[in-house]
Amino acid sequence: MSHGFYIALSYGSAAVIVALLIGWVWLDGRARRRELAELEAAGIHRRSADARKGGSA
Amino acid sequence: MSESLAITKFSDLANPTRFLGLAARIIPWLGCLTAVLFGVGLYLSFTTQGDYQQGSTVRIMYVHVPAAWLSMMCYSVMALSAIGTLVWRHPLADVSHKAAAPLGAAFTLIALATGALWGKPMWGTWWVWDARLTSVFILFLMYLGLIALNRALDDPSRGARLSAVLILVGFVNIPIIKFSVEWWNTLHQPASVMRLDGPTIDNEFLIPLLVMAFAFTFLFFTLHLMAMRNEIWRRRVTAQRRMAARMAGREL
Amino acid sequence: MTALLLRDLKLSVRAGGGALIGVLFFMTVVAVIPFGVGPDLNLLSRIGPAIVWIGALLSALLGLDRLFQTEREDGSLDLILMQEHPLVLTVLVKCLAHWVANCLPLVIAAPLLGLFMNMSEVAIGAVTLTLLVGTPALTFIGAVGAAVAVALPRGGLLVSILVLPLAIPVLIFGVSASYAAVQDPAPFMPPFLILIAITMFFAVLGPLGAALALRNAGD
């Protein structure tokens, strides 16, 4: 098989993995943001003291 | 004075809200920079000449080497964050090493896949138990084990400290594993396998390689910031849900 | 400390024969191999040291999740955490007790399995010696995994996954020292000495990491 095939395959696989990674991070972020917005809409606000709790709770 | 200023800046970052604000400002810029670097890097890597010995397959190097470099850098970032978790109890450090593990696994997977695709035309097999390939494979297994541990622990702050211990123990072990795999390899490997690190790299290959390495590094930092942001949001959602449930329970 | 050692030993001997199960598993794994590779005695004697080592590695991992789990279940883990002795030393003693109860039987069973594998006397001696020196390292590095997984409801399999990559150096030097004893050109001492060095290094790193994990798993 020609070398071009392997080059295309390796760039392609790298691109697919990177795309999956970006897609996962992006969609995860959107889902979390939507959940926060839903909670906000349901009238559950963060206490200001929660600002520190977000990381350490 | 400047040192104490740096420390205040650093502990300012411990406030997740401030971190989120900073991340929101930085992420678009980092994303654009990454895209530009990838554009330049890909253009360069497809326009430069092929190596006389390896032909055009040398282009695989422009993906493979940066991914392999990142697979190691990511573990170092995780080890630094683990120290941050255990020594300073820095709340963002927890988030940082938890968010970095899947990224590291993905870059290690890229390095393995492109390595196999490079090996097939060069060595004639998809996989050789070469010292370097083998240690990258062990690193991949360690990333997967850490991800599995992170998923199995439900209390985020205790879980973060436990996986930090494991990250550090693994980090101390990496040189030993590397050394022993090299020993094992010289014992078993027939000497005929072609080495990739032949002559020193020519400038012509070095420039695209460097550009691609920077592109991958910036990609990692962009994704890392975004994943950290996601993790903070996820913890807020669970904290607020718990609070809402508690309030609902009180009303009943 | 000796009291703790004796107590742990007594418990592990009495508690349903955990050591016996480890040896049984070891024998079963090694006995299954010929069915996979065929009854060729030459081939078996060639791969014998490696098979015995891999079998011992897997069996040593088998009982590791019990190292701190029973203490956690009956609450004595909190007592151990609160006492005045340095926690690192306590963990070290517990590891030693675990090694005597679970790994020493494996070392004793190894020569018998070497006979099944048609290994020469020298090879059997070398494998037994390297197992004697190398298995403590497996216990020490496994203690970190056991301490991390102590908070988990079902930690057993996860401990093995986390510990196996870290145990690779022990396996490499154990097997290559055993082979060096049989095959002529390779000297026996260098890999054997490195194996001892690895065991001593893990004897420090393992209890330190395990103690750190136990402190953090508590609250």
Side-chain angles (χ1 to χ4, degrees), chain B residues 32-46:
Chain B
C32 289
L33 187 61
T34 310
V36 169
L37 277 173
F38 263 113
V40 175
L42 286 175
Y43 172 77
L44 278 178
S45 59
F46 277 106

Side-chain angles (χ1 to χ4, degrees), chain B residues 108-182:
Chain B
T108 316
L109 184 62
I110 292 179
L112 285 174
T114 52
L117 283 166
W118 200 0
K120 183 68 182 165
M122 285 295 101
W123 298 327
T125 70
W126 295 104
W127 182 263
V128 288
W129 287 93
D130 165 74
R132 240 178 283 177
L133 285 172
T134 312
S135 22
V136 171
F137 187 59
I138 297 171
L139 189 65
F140 185 58
L141 291 180
M142 283 165 69
Y143 275 126
L144 293 188
L146 282 170
I147 294 172
L149 179 68
N150 275 336
R151 294 186 71 92
L153 294 158
D154 38 9
D155 174 8
S157 107
R158 194 176 64 178
R161 272 175 283 148
L162 286 178
S163 51
V165 173
L166 205 70
I167 290 170
L168 284 181
V169 170
F171 192 66
V172 175
N173 269 334
I174 281 177
I176 302 178
I177 292 176
K178 185 101 179 92
F179 166 71
S180 56
V181 166
E182 253 153 36

Side-chain angles (χ1 to χ4, degrees), chain B residues 42-149:
Chain B
L42 286 175
Y43 172 77
L44 278 178
S45 59
F46 277 106
T47 46
T48 47
Q49 295 291 312
D51 186 44
Y52 71 96
Q53 207 179 8
Q54 306 204 352
S56 50
T57 45
V58 78
R59 296 194 208 292
I60 296 178
M61 179 178 76
Y62 303 137
V63 196
H64 174 72
V65 173
W69 140 247
L70 264 189
S71 68
M72 281 176 279
M73 192 194 77
C74 183
Y75 204 93
S76 314
V77 168
M78 282 165 69
L80 276 179
S81 310
I83 295 174
T85 300
L86 289 175
V87 178
W88 297 297
R89 297 283 162 104
H90 198 286
L92 275 180
D94 298 9
V95 180
S96 166
H97 66 73
K98 193 174 175 193
L103 301 178
F107 283 115
T108 316
L109 184 62
I110 292 179
L112 285 174
T114 52
L117 283 166
W118 200 0
K120 183 68 182 165
M122 285 295 101
W123 298 327
T125 70
W126 295 104
W127 182 263
V128 288
W129 287 93
D130 165 74
R132 240 178 283 177
L133 285 172
T134 312
S135 22
V136 171
F137 187 59
I138 297 171
L139 189 65
F140 185 58
L141 291 180
M142 283 165 69
Y143 275 126
L144 293 188
L146 282 170
I147 294 172
L149 179 68

Side-chain angles (χ1 to χ4, degrees), chain C residues 22-188:
Chain C
V23 175
L24 257 170
F25 182 77
F26 184 33
M27 290 173 79
T28 318
V29 167
V30 175
V32 159
I33 299 291
F35 296 108
V37 299
D40 179 6
L41 282 182
N42 289 330
L43 177 68
L44 283 181
S45 73
R46 206 170 65 235
I47 63 174
I51 300 298
V52 173
W53 248 98
I54 291 173
L57 173 66
L58 294 179
S59 335
L61 289 179
L62 193 66
L64 266 176
D65 59 318
R66 307 297 300 165
L67 187 51
F68 301 111
Q69 202 76 48
T70 39
E71 266 77 7
R72 181 169 175 86
E73 276 159 12
D74 65 9
S76 55
L77 188 66
D78 293 328
L79 291 180
I80 291 174
L81 283 173
M82 276 187 292
Q83 77 190 162
E84 282 171 23
H85 285 296
L87 184 57
V88 182
L89 276 184
T90 315
V91 173
L92 185 70
V93 169
K94 280 190 71 63
C95 287
L96 287 178
H98 184 268
W99 179 77
V100 172
N102 287 305
C103 294
L104 204 56
L106 298 181
V107 179
I108 296 169
L112 182 68
L113 291 169
L115 287 179
F116 279 130
M117 288 279 125
N118 191 32
M119 282 152 59
S120 66
E121 286 77 12
V122 182
I124 290 175
V127 167
T128 313
L129 193 60
T130 50
L131 276 177
L132 184 68
V133 172
T135 43
L138 299 180
T139 307
F140 290 133
I141 200 68
V144 183
V148 163
V150 82
L152 297 175
R154 297 171 305 277
L157 196 57
L158 199 59
V159 175
S160 311
I161 294 172
L162 295 174
V163 167
L164 264 179
L166 304 178
I168 286 173
V170 183
L171 181 66
I172 287 176
F173 286 107
V175 172
S176 63
S178 331
Y179 273 120
V182 191
Q183 290 163 353
D184 240 352
F188 174 71

